[in-house]
Amino acid sequence: MKALDIASRVGAAVVGGYALATAAALGATALPGTRAEAVQIGIMLGFLAYAAAMIWAFAARSAIRAWAGLIGPAAVLALIGWIGAS
Amino acid sequence: MKYGFRRTMAWAHGWAGLVVGWLLFAVFLTGTLSFYRQEITAWMRPEWRPGPAIERSLAADRAEARLKTIGRQANRWLIDLPDGRDRAAHLAVWRDPGQAPRFQREEFDPAADRPVDARRTYGGDFLYYFHFDLQMPSIWGRLLVGLAAVIMLALIVSGIVVHVRIFKDFFTFRPQKGGQRAWLDAHNAVGVMALPFHLMITYTGLVTLMFLYLPWGIDLAYRGDRAAFYAEAALAQSPPAPTGKAVPLVPLGPLVATAEAHWGLPAGRIDVYRPGDAAAVVRIHAADSSGLAHRRHQIAFDGTTGAILAVEDGRPAGIVRAVMYGLHLGRFAGPTLRLLYVVAGLAGTAMIATGLVLWLVKRRPRRQRLIEGLNVGAMAGLVIAIAAFFWANRLIPAERAGRDDLEAVVFFATWAVAAVHGACRPHLRAWTEQLGFAALLYGGLPVLNAATSGRHLGHSVAQGDWMLAGFDLAGLAIGLFLGWLSLRVARCSR
């Protein structure tokens, strides 16, 4: 693997993964039930999303796909959370 | 990336493991020792012999009387009641801005009705806090450990992917084959043996600090008002505004009795908000040792009348979080299960250690001087530093001012010296020497205890004082193991 490719994947794993985890936590706030419950579910799922994102970042066929595969779902989840909150 | 999924995972597993391995080794080792936090503290304060266990409601009354002396003008008192493993009550006091000191704490002996009279030491708390904040300023250590934990989760998953014949290989250990094959077998064996534990302890570790790591959902749902979330989830309360009207605090002992009768469980923690004010509120939590879920049950009382304000037993997601938290701390565990926790934790530590060694062995005969040095310094060096911490505890005079911080300085200074030694000496020599030195330090702990406390092994065994005897015996066992390891490495290097 080329250095740039590796650096990009590491960035996707650490930064992109955290973005996905954050988005999962935001999206979960739209869940039914009390908001205190929804918030806690979101964070607990967020860690799993983070770990999965790290695997994905290196499993994806290219660095571009690695990023796209994280940012896409993250945008959708964040949007769900934002709509739920407004 | 052209070799397929498993090859990619193997590559990433190796490099990611190398980058966070040293940190994870330290977190796993000090975290595992933290399951014996109270026992370690007891050994590090040999002059304090706790009195007999007393009723928790009586302990609460005595703690309340003590806090009325040392905790004036407080907005919050906290009392952690004694339990079977820790006979001290832990008192803490907070005050509003403008009042000094803002925070103070004291260890209190409820049986003797006076503060714990012993040398100042961080005891087992030092290792406990180190395992998640690394003694770094602010939250940097916690963030670093959190990131390492997420990587650990990914490492465990990728490790399973890489490890093709997970069941069959579990029964495979070929030390006679030597080299890479033997190290890989060892890495797999300790990894798979306690695999559910490794997953559990890593994930639940993240859960303990989850509101620090991912607070953004709170900010969205509560429009930035985090205090409102903590109050609504019954996690933490802000002290109510003072009325300025002085009303004596209700006696705490009867409240403890009421709460315990309500749950059928022992009480563990008492929170008093605005003591002595008309706005006072008392919150009592069930003991950590009383169940899997950490601080699930709590009852709020009016602090002036003792009337029950609220009974909180948690809601589903909050209970899941509390159970995760409780699983990580393991405070519900009795002696046998606690030992199992420690064995599994040591297996995790060994998994990380063998992984780090395997990284080097795989690349033979090419030498990696930097990695070799870091391996010795980060692993053997830490093992030595922990022992040096125990030795410092007994060799620094008990009356010396600032001795608790000095113990911590000895820990880090010893670690630094070991790291330099590990980088300068030939690799296998460095391992032999450091493991041998560590063996002497641990094996010598019972001797050190006998020489500096008078509560030697023969005495503590005869008295049935297994908390103290257990520490000495563990020191001996660890010393023997490290000595054997040192001899094994010495034989390899010849």
Side-chain angles (χ1 to χ4, degrees), chain B residues 53-276:
Chain B
I54 59 168
E55 285 286 319
R56 277 181 297 275
S57 47
L58 178 59
D61 280 334
R62 288 179 174 173
E64 179 179 7
R66 177 68 186 159
L67 281 164
K68 279 179 173 159
T69 316
I70 63 166
R72 289 168 196 284
Q73 310 293 326
N75 65 32
R76 179 184 174 199
W77 293 343
L78 181 67
I79 304 167
D80 277 319
L81 291 171
D83 61 30
R85 292 170 60 222
D86 185 1
R87 293 282 177 72
H90 300 261
L91 313 182
V93 175
W94 286 263
R95 293 183 178 83
D96 285 333
Q99 312 249 22
R102 286 294 303 283
F103 175 70
Q104 86 197 66
R105 56 197 301 176
E106 181 179 286
E107 278 181 280
F108 180 71
D109 182 344
D113 202 5
R114 61 161 183 262
V116 169
D117 183 21
R119 69 187 66 196
R120 287 181 62 88
T121 177
Y122 294 113
D125 292 3
F126 177 79
L127 300 170
Y128 170 75
Y129 284 104
F130 181 84
H131 106 274
F132 61 85
D133 74 10
L134 308 173
Q135 302 287 322
M136 283 186 182
S138 185
I139 58 169
W140 292 109
R142 292 169 190 225
L143 294 184
L144 215 53
V145 172
L147 182 61
V150 176
I151 295 174
M152 180 75 185
L153 274 185
L155 278 168
I156 294 173
V157 175
S158 62
I160 296 168
V161 168
V162 172
H163 191 17
V164 197
R165 300 177 306 160
I166 197 156
F167 183 75
K168 199 171 161 208
D169 274 3
F170 180 60
F171 301 99
T172 313
F173 183 45
R174 292 158 284 187
Q176 71 283 2
K177 288 215 169 180
Q180 191 179 334
R181 195 65 241 182
W183 283 106
L184 182 60
D185 285 348
H187 184 61
N188 290 341
V190 285
V192 175
M193 188 162 56
L195 184 60
F197 175 85
H198 302 327
L199 279 168
M200 178 280 281
I201 208 73
T202 308
Y203 179 71
T204 56
L206 286 164
V207 169
T208 61
L209 291 174
M210 67 190 229
F211 303 119
L212 171 73
Y213 293 146
L214 269 182
W216 318 119
I218 305 173
D219 290 344
L220 179 69
Y222 289 80
R223 313 225 176 267
D225 187 358
R226 291 188 191 174
F229 164 73
Y230 289 121
E232 216 170 282
L235 286 160
Q237 314 294 328
S238 314
T243 60
K245 199 172 124 214
V247 178
L249 181 66
V250 66
L252 296 178
L255 301 193
V256 168
T258 304
E260 293 190 337
H262 178 85
W263 297 314
L265 297 172
R269 165 170 279 200
I270 307 170
D271 245 320
V272 184
Y273 298 97
R274 298 281 171 213

Side-chain angles (χ1 to χ4, degrees), chain B residues 435-465:
Chain B
L435 289 172
F437 183 54
L440 293 177
L441 287 181
Y442 282 93
L445 285 173
V447 181
L448 176 69
N449 180 36
T452 54
S453 82
R455 295 171 75 186
H456 56 82
L457 199 46
H459 179 264
S460 52
V461 169
Q463 297 266 308
D465 184 356

Side-chain angles (χ1 to χ4, degrees), chain B residues 394-437:
Chain B
R394 292 303 183 85
L395 296 181
I396 298 169
E399 307 304 324
R400 193 184 187 288
R403 66 178 310 292
D404 46 355
D405 288 320
L406 200 55
E407 286 175 9
V409 168
V410 169
F411 171 85
F412 285 110
T414 311
W415 198 354
V417 171
V420 172
H421 172 272
C424 296
R425 297 286 290 161
H427 187 49
L428 290 182
R429 284 275 185 75
W431 272 114
T432 309
E433 290 164 3
Q434 294 209 10
L435 289 172
F437 183 54

